[in-house]
Amino acid sequence: MTPLRVRFAPSPTGQLHVGNVRTALFNWLLARRHGGTLILRVEDTDVERSTRASETTILTDLRWLGLEVDEGPEAGGGHGPYRQSERLPLYAAAAQTLLESGRAYYCFCTPAELATERAAALAGGSPPKYSGRCRALDRSASARRVAAGEPGALRFLVPQDREISFTDLVRGPVSFHTDIIGDPVIVRSGGVPAYNFAVVVDDAAMEISHVIRGEDHLSNTPRQILLYEALGWQCPFFAHLSMVLGPDHAPLSKRHGATSVVEFREHGYLPEALVNYLALLGWSPGGNEEVVALDEMARRFDLADVGHSAAVFDRDKLAWMNRHYMKSASGERLLDEAWRYFVRDGVATHARAQPSDEARAFLLSALPMASGSVDRLEQMPERLSFLWGWDDAAVAALIQQEPGGVEVTHAFSRVLTDSAPLDRDAFRAAASRVRELTGLKGKQLFHPLRVLLTGAESGPELDQAVPAIDRGAALGASAGLRPILSCQERARRLSLRFDSGS
Ligand code: GLU
């Protein structure tokens, strides 16, 4: 059996789109499932739009997602180089073979002539297709014109009246008639190979056994099959994945919101949540199971379980998946991932790459109050804003609208006579004393207390929030976090305000 070799072949012209990640993921899963090899090939023949920066982003994103490749520009390997721009001699050699066997010919049609042909076809209601005008040119005369410096593109001679059929491993039997296929340009007049040609030369030279890619390439496949045939090379298996769509069933794009891995990372999604969610776009691990870790997916993955209906990207489902992974992540991991948002939101007083030991210990104790109730890591500082964001003017306005609010504030301030930090038991004891002093109990007592101490109508359990406030208030400036007012100080300030009538 030939070894399984698959490839992910992005064009480095921008950020890595989640649709492409899913293609990379399915290639990765198939390679891991069968002990095969995953190759990363950078399709950078579009010199105008390709950049090294984009290539670096793509590599970084794949690594972040846990999708390491076995061969590629950084990983190396025995089938390089792995950038198309470095493989030009291979394309030139294959083009020469096709020229010599009469399967390719030079075309001298100008862009204007081609545009007129195209417009005429469209006006006549037929799909635009190259007329084949230059097919009839004398081959040796054409070769002389090119040698003399005249610009000419190389076109592949598509055989007439053939049915090209293949079995797509996702979509089943597919066939195209060659009548609808115009002779494609395989090498542009400047010598740059066209996608359909370069991809065949590379997939053959890299001994790719399975081509797994987006359905947008399905109509390219018959051209590629014909090229394999003309070059006497064996065709790989093909699998075309359905497109990833937005909720309006248009291809997922910027107007639907975040689409690139970079954006999802910036918004605080965990990589394992993103890969798990993307795997479910088209693949079913079986049963009702949805939360499946990457290594487990790799044990179960089979192309036969990939569906071909369009996959709609559902942000709520992704948020649900992210919540799941956040809940099961360790505190240390969450803090490492979320720290940058504490820096971004100004909770950290210095833009340090890591929190200080003191801040780390404190945040580790506070994070569980946020991790179970936010969709994304970036929302954590906001969820914990009762610690740093307490503002007496704003809280005073809120609490004055609370039945019993002012009374509870005075009583609480009176009860907290020493500045010992409140732990859970001390808070409960203080709350009982306030109940005795005010006669308020249950919700009528705890709701104003919550507003007073956290500045919000809802939030984490007071039993956890109150001790966290006082632990935070005890931190010194060296912790590198914004100062936190103690519960006693909060009550004292408001009580003073109410006494002075402001
Ligand atoms: N560079 C192509 C793309 O990004 C690759 C297509 C293929 O996998 O053949 O769409």
Side-chain angles (χ1 to χ4, degrees):
M1 217 175 91
T2 48
L4 183 134
R5 290 177 60 84
V6 290
R7 87 300 194 270
F8 175 53
S11 305
T13 54
Q15 306 288 6
L16 188 58
H17 184 279
V18 285
N20 287 336
V21 174
R22 195 196 40 162
T23 301
L25 173 62
F26 284 11
N27 275 290
W28 187 91
L29 289 171
L30 194 70
R32 292 297 166 268
R33 169 81 164 80
H34 296 285
T37 305
L38 172 63
I39 292 127
L40 179 85
R41 183 171 70 230
V42 179
E43 304 214 322
D44 59 350
T45 51
D46 183 344
V47 214
E48 311 262 283
R49 295 175 59 227
S50 301
T51 64
R52 268 303 159 87
S54 162
E55 179 188 312
T56 307
T57 318
I58 292 169
L59 290 170
T60 309
D61 289 350
L62 290 176
R63 205 168 295 127
W64 178 71
L65 291 164
L67 306 178
E68 295 286 348
V69 303
D70 305 302
E71 294 179 23
E74 279 188 359
H79 293 71
Y82 293 93
R83 291 187 190 96
Q84 287 191 326
S85 58
E86 295 165 8
R87 300 175 63 81
L88 298 179
L90 284 152
Y91 312 129
Q96 193 56 34
T97 306
L98 291 175
L99 255 179
E100 282 166 10
S101 63
R103 298 301 307 270
Y105 62 91
Y106 282 109
C107 167
F108 299 96
C109 294
T110 62
E113 284 166 339
L114 294 172
T116 313
E117 246 187 31
R118 219 183 126 75
L122 287 172
S126 38
K129 169 187 158 187
Y130 177 59
S131 64
R133 189 169 3 163
C134 293
R135 273 185 185 191
L137 297 179
D138 178 73
R139 305 282 161 101
S140 40
S142 293
R144 281 196 298 277
R145 285 169 72 178
V146 171
E150 191 174 338
L154 203 59
R155 283 191 188 268
F156 175 60
L157 189 72
V158 171
Q160 310 277 292
D161 202 21
R162 284 261 317 270
E163 194 73 23
I164 308 298
S165 304
F166 62 98
T167 302
D168 188 287
L169 297 180
V170 167
R171 311 174 60 84
V174 181
S175 49
F176 288 88
H177 199 275
T178 54
D179 279 2
I180 58 158
I181 307 175
D183 295 344
V185 167
I186 53 173
V187 182
R188 290 183 237 286
S189 60
V192 177
Y195 158 73
N196 273 312
F197 180 55
V199 88
V200 167
V201 173
D202 290 341
D203 284 343
M206 293 179 173
E207 299 181 82
I208 300 302
S209 59
H210 294 68
V211 167
I212 305 170
R213 61 185 168 203
E215 194 184 68
D216 46 336
H217 288 290
L218 186 62
S219 62
N220 287 319
T221 305
R223 292 171 180 79
Q224 295 176 14
I225 290 174
L226 287 168
L227 281 163
Y228 278 103
E229 195 183 276
L231 286 158
W233 296 337
Q234 203 195 330
C235 260
F237 291 108
F238 291 98
H240 290 90
L241 308 173
S242 62
M243 302 310 285
V244 178
L245 306 179
D248 58 356
H249 288 240
L252 187 71
S253 72
K254 289 242 170 291
R255 67 194 171 81
H256 296 112
T259 53
S260 69
V261 175
V262 173
E263 288 169 290
F264 286 103
R265 183 168 59 218
E266 277 169 6
H267 289 314
Y269 289 90
L270 288 172
E272 56 270 43
L274 192 55
V275 283
N276 191 160
Y277 176 69
L278 290 175
L280 301 181
L281 287 181
W283 175 64
S284 163
N288 290 329
E289 222 176 332
E290 297 197 299
V291 178
V292 190
L294 193 55
D295 52 352
E296 180 58 24
M297 288 192 235
R299 269 192 287 281
R300 298 196 208 169
F301 186 76
D302 192 336
L303 276 176
D305 298 327
V306 174
H308 59 79
S309 47
V312 174
F313 194 85
D314 176 349
R315 279 168 211 275
D316 292 338
K317 182 86 179 269
L318 173 61
W320 170 82
M321 189 68 87
N322 204 43
R323 281 199 301 275
H324 172 86
Y325 279 99
M326 283 194 299
K327 274 185 215 155
S328 48
S330 73
E332 292 281 349
R333 163 96 199 284
L334 281 181
L335 181 55
D336 286 341
E337 300 280 353
W339 172 245
R340 60 204 163 111
Y341 303 111
F342 288 94
V343 174
R344 181 194 72 181
D345 291 0
V347 170
T349 50
H350 309 285
R352 301 185 194 176
Q354 293 284 328
S356 66
D357 290 348
E358 239 185 312
R360 172 173 290 275
F362 172 64
L363 289 173
L364 281 176
S365 74
L367 279 186
M369 284 185 282
S371 53
S373 54
V374 294
D375 289 345
R376 303 185 301 279
L377 295 162
E378 71 164 348
Q379 296 166 320
M380 286 193 176
E382 171 60 30
R383 181 73 184 167
L384 296 177
S385 64
F386 66 90
L387 294 167
W388 300 275
W390 193 93
D391 167 73
D392 46 351
V395 180
L398 263 184
I399 212 155
Q400 275 169 312
Q401 289 161 21
E402 281 286 316
V406 174
E407 232 182 314
V408 165
T409 304
H410 285 311
F412 198 70
S413 178
R414 256 209 303 166
V415 163
L416 299 186
T417 47
D418 64 41
S419 56
L422 291 176
D423 59 14
R424 198 183 63 157
D425 290 340
F427 168 62
R428 287 189 178 177
S432 304
R433 292 273 295 116
V434 175
R435 191 184 60 209
E436 285 159 24
L437 290 171
T438 59
L440 296 167
K441 53 182 198 250
K443 199 164 176 277
Q444 276 150 352
L445 169 66
F446 282 97
H447 196 259
L449 269 180
R450 167 177 293 287
V451 175
L452 159 67
L453 295 172
T454 68
E457 308 262 352
S458 61
E461 293 289 321
L462 284 180
D463 271 356
Q464 290 170 33
V466 166
I469 293 170
D470 276 2
R471 274 198 312 277
L475 292 173
S478 61
L481 298 177
R482 263 172 63 187
I484 296 171
L485 290 176
S486 68
C487 292
Q488 190 194 34
E489 184 59 16
R490 293 177 187 205
R492 192 185 69 82
R493 288 195 182 187
L494 288 195
S495 187
L496 278 177
R497 247 178 195 272
F498 297 148
D499 278 344
S500 67
S502 57

